[in-house]
Amino acid sequence: MRETFQPCVYILASRRHGTLYIGVTSNLLARIVQHREGLIPGFTQRYGVRQLVWYEMHDTMDAAILREKRMKEWWRAWKIELIEARNEQWDDLAIGLGLPRLATASAGV
């Protein structure tokens, strides 16, 4: 797994059209691992939000943080449209970044 240090906004989902989580990080792979392994107790662990369904890289953390804040204010339907514009099947994009498939990914996500 290659380390990537770049500001990034991301969306995790519990399943297709399920619970969504929007986050921001400077190391996407490490942050996804934290979510998947439940290393940080809270919302994502409680609701099983572990599948990376959308992400967007930014030049600066300030730009990424601003984008995350704006997205959190969007209606849910807009977030779903954003995801489906690039990931219609809600595939786990973390696999393409080098992370293993989730054990539950084949269960209707």
Side-chain angles (χ1 to χ4, degrees), residues 45-96:
Q45 184 180 22
R46 186 170 41 251
Y47 296 103
V49 183
R50 305 178 332 151
Q51 182 169 316
L52 179 66
V53 294
W54 181 90
Y55 66 95
E56 177 180 86
M57 299 298 185
H58 290 267
D59 292 330
T60 67
M61 277 306 289
D62 287 341
I65 290 167
L66 180 60
R67 174 75 159 159
E68 177 206 26
K69 286 180 180 182
R70 288 179 176 163
M71 288 175 64
K72 285 183 175 183
E73 294 174 354
W74 292 1
W75 293 339
R76 179 177 170 78
W78 293 354
K79 295 171 193 173
I80 290 172
E81 284 183 31
L82 180 71
I83 294 164
E84 291 183 348
R86 282 196 287 171
N87 187 3
E88 188 175 345
Q89 300 303 314
W90 293 59
D91 295 325
D92 186 0
L93 302 177
I95 295 165

Side-chain angles (χ1 to χ4, degrees), residues 17-45:
H17 296 170
T19 303
L20 301 177
Y21 174 85
I22 299 172
V24 65
T25 185
S26 63
N27 186 336
L28 182 59
L29 290 176
R31 188 66 176 135
I32 298 306
V33 169
Q34 290 174 338
H35 284 294
R36 286 180 169 204
E37 295 180 3
L39 299 176
I40 301 172
F43 182 87
T44 58
Q45 184 180 22

